[in-house]
Amino acid sequence: MNKVTVEEITQDLINYLQRAKAGESFVIFQADQPIAKIISTKSEGILDAFDAFRSRIISEEIDLDSDEIFANVRDYTPTPEKPCW
C-alpha cells in the first residue's frame, strides 16, 4: 500500500483517485501519523480472497492433509505433561 501525505493528496487529488480506480490503494499520513486510507474497489478483501481460495480447493477437489501442511509448525510450549527440563 502506497504512503502519501495530506499535502500530496490535496495537490493532486484527481491523480490519486484515478490511480485508485486502476487498483492502487493509499495510506494518507499527516505529521508522520496515518490518518486515512483510500482503498481501491478492485482490491480484494481478505475474506473475498479466502472464499475464492476455498472455492478453488473445493471445485478442483484438492485433498489437503493438515498433518502434512503443519508438520513443522508445532507449539513447543512447556506443559505439565511435557515440562521443559
Side-chain angles (χ1 to χ4, degrees):
M1 192 170 294
N2 299 307
K3 296 179 180 181
V4 296
T5 64
V6 171
E7 292 78 19
E8 292 170 321
I9 287 285
T10 55
Q11 290 175 4
D12 203 4
L13 180 60
I14 299 300
N15 175 49
Y16 287 102
L17 293 177
Q18 288 172 343
R19 290 171 59 184
K21 185 177 179 181
E24 289 186 65
S25 297
F26 304 92
V27 176
I28 303 170
F29 282 77
Q30 183 176 41
D32 296 325
Q33 296 295 318
I35 60 168
K37 290 182 183 180
I38 296 177
I39 301 175
S40 173
T41 57
K42 290 186 177 185
S43 298
E44 276 191 31
I46 187 69
L47 294 178
D48 293 334
F50 178 77
D51 285 341
F53 173 74
R54 187 172 61 82
S55 295
R56 181 172 173 214
I57 295 298
I58 291 169
S59 69
E60 296 180 16
E61 298 179 2
I62 297 172
D63 183 29
L64 297 176
D65 181 3
S66 60
D67 288 334
E68 182 181 331
I69 293 169
F70 297 108
N72 295 322
V73 182
R74 298 288 182 230
D75 181 7
Y76 294 108
T77 304
T79 65
E81 296 81 27
K82 292 184 179 182
C84 61
W85 57 87

